[in-house]
Amino acid sequence: EVELTVRDHGIGWDTNLVTTDGGIATRIIAPIERVGGRVEVQSSPGRGTLMAIVVPQEDQRSFPAV
């Protein structure tokens, strides 16, 4: 597996408000899931965001353009 963790100390956001028709779901989560990976997001207003992305290493396909 290849793991990438991104953290910021910005304003954060309510993860319950994520929809499947745009934004993070379309640009990040969907392409990662298409190649067998997974995305975990932890965020809340005023507390920044932590995003962990895990992709199988043996998968040699290219990621779709975002």
Side-chain angles (χ1 to χ4, degrees):
E1 292 181 328
V2 176
E3 297 181 30
L4 170 68
T5 302
V6 179
R7 176 187 304 260
D8 74 24
H9 300 285
I11 62 171
W13 42 279
D14 185 347
T15 57
N16 293 316
L17 300 178
V18 173
T19 64
T20 58
D21 61 352
I24 189 172
T26 301
R27 295 187 183 113
I28 297 174
I29 297 172
I32 297 298
E33 288 179 344
R34 275 197 296 273
V35 297
R38 61 188 185 279
V39 178
E40 184 177 314
V41 178
Q42 297 174 0
S43 187
S44 60
R47 302 193 143 229
T49 301
L50 172 67
M51 181 178 298
I53 299 171
V54 180
V55 179
Q57 188 171 3
E58 64 275 2
D59 192 333
Q60 298 298 315
R61 292 178 285 177
S62 296
F63 286 100
V66 290

